[in-house]
Amino acid sequence: MTQAEPYAKDWRLAYRDLKAQIELGRLAPGASLPTLAELAGAYGLTTHGARRVMARLKEDGRVESWRGFGHRVSEKRFEYRIDERPRFGANMARLGRNNGSDVVATRTVRLSPRLARSMRLRAGTRVYQTEIVRYVEGRPVVLSQNHFPLDRFEGIDTALTKSKSVTRALALHGVDDYSRERTRIEVRMPNAHESLQLGIPSNQPVLVSTGTNVDRDGQVVELTHSVWRGDCVTFEI
């Protein structure tokens, strides 16, 4: 037996143990993993051996790491369908995922020229803006800003806070159905507020979708600007 054989057996044993805990759900998605020093101490490894364990788990797609945040169990990805009738709850129900949402802020704002063009309003027009965090299996996955014409939807911020559903809030204001007119998608880094609300580090990329929803007559009823965690969502268009 060479000197390398018992060492190799040790790190592979630690790898198999952590892999099994992840697969059995004992270490849930997003859970923090031991530091390299803690891992080495628990399994009698050198720091180099502990690095090999984490490197192998990362290669398998079971572990992610960010500077300053350590290692965490990878989030389970889901496909979010963007079509002419995107509905968060319906998408999650189709996938069999538990979901929920919280309205974290409501305010009136003046539209920037870019957002005003999307809503077919004049720049500077005041609109309702609500901020919603949506959850899948108890974890925040998307932070959205939803904009509604102020003159048409007076009080929709209150309706949305109570119902926690854009579809139900619009229905209470006479919009029984709406569809997606266009969607724009980009990738960038999150700002400090987005990182805090989504529970992610500032160097983890996010997917940003901006969509315009219209009623049966083609009138804009909502502009949504959504920031999605890039580590757990894939868009289906």
Side-chain angles (χ1 to χ4, degrees):
M1 179 179 291
T2 67
Q3 290 296 317
E5 286 176 330
Y7 168 74
K9 181 179 179 180
D10 285 343
W11 80 260
R12 287 171 183 153
L13 176 63
Y15 159 74
R16 288 196 296 270
D17 184 40
L18 287 176
K19 175 184 173 183
Q21 291 187 57
I22 293 171
E23 292 177 344
L24 292 172
R26 294 172 185 165
L27 289 171
S32 296
L33 293 172
T35 64
L36 294 179
E38 291 169 341
L39 184 63
Y43 290 93
L45 304 176
T46 64
T47 301
H48 178 67
R51 285 198 186 97
R52 293 193 69 177
V53 173
M54 290 303 185
R56 181 67 176 273
L57 290 169
K58 289 174 69 175
E59 289 173 6
D60 294 345
R62 293 182 172 85
V63 167
E64 299 172 330
S65 66
W66 298 277
R67 181 173 296 178
F69 278 73
H71 294 83
R72 296 191 301 188
V73 178
S74 298
E75 299 283 351
K76 293 182 179 179
R77 286 186 173 273
F78 63 87
E79 283 194 348
Y80 186 83
R81 182 180 296 170
I82 297 180
D83 53 22
E84 64 178 9
R85 299 187 77 255
R87 306 288 191 272
F88 184 81
N91 263 286
M92 295 303 102
R94 175 178 61 87
L95 297 173
R97 298 292 189 94
N98 293 323
N99 69 93
S101 61
D102 283 324
V103 178
V104 296
T106 63
R107 60 180 71 90
T108 59
V109 299
R110 294 189 182 278
L111 287 174
S112 68
R114 182 174 66 83
L115 295 184
R117 285 194 297 271
S118 296
M119 296 189 73
R120 299 198 278 274
L121 296 171
R122 289 186 300 176
T125 299
R126 296 187 69 83
V127 298
Y128 284 117
Q129 181 191 81
T130 61
E131 196 168 34
I132 304 173
V133 178
R134 302 185 187 277
Y135 303 85
V136 175
E137 307 297 344
R139 297 185 300 277
V141 298
V142 57
L143 173 67
S144 67
Q145 287 183 344
N146 307 73
H147 305 79
F148 306 93
L150 191 65
D151 56 350
R152 181 175 179 182
F153 297 112
E154 183 176 355
I156 196 171
D157 53 339
T158 301
L160 186 53
T161 299
K162 290 181 178 179
S163 68
K164 298 183 180 181
S165 166
V166 170
T167 299
R168 289 195 290 270
L170 285 172
L172 290 172
H173 285 75
V175 180
D176 61 350
D177 194 21
Y178 60 94
S179 59
R180 178 60 57 88
E181 184 177 65
R182 66 174 65 87
T183 302
R184 179 174 178 267
I185 299 173
E186 61 181 312
V187 179
R188 61 169 171 79
M189 294 300 180
N191 59 37
H193 177 65
E194 293 161 353
S195 296
L196 179 64
Q197 292 291 340
L198 295 175
I200 58 175
S202 59
N203 60 346
Q204 178 181 312
V206 291
L207 300 170
V208 182
S209 64
T210 302
T212 305
N213 294 324
V214 298
D215 62 14
R216 297 179 187 274
D217 297 324
Q219 298 297 310
V220 176
V221 295
E222 178 198 16
L223 176 71
T224 176
H225 181 78
S226 302
V227 180
W228 303 77
R229 290 180 55 154
D231 63 333
C232 58
V233 64
T234 300
F235 289 140
E236 178 186 349
I237 301 176

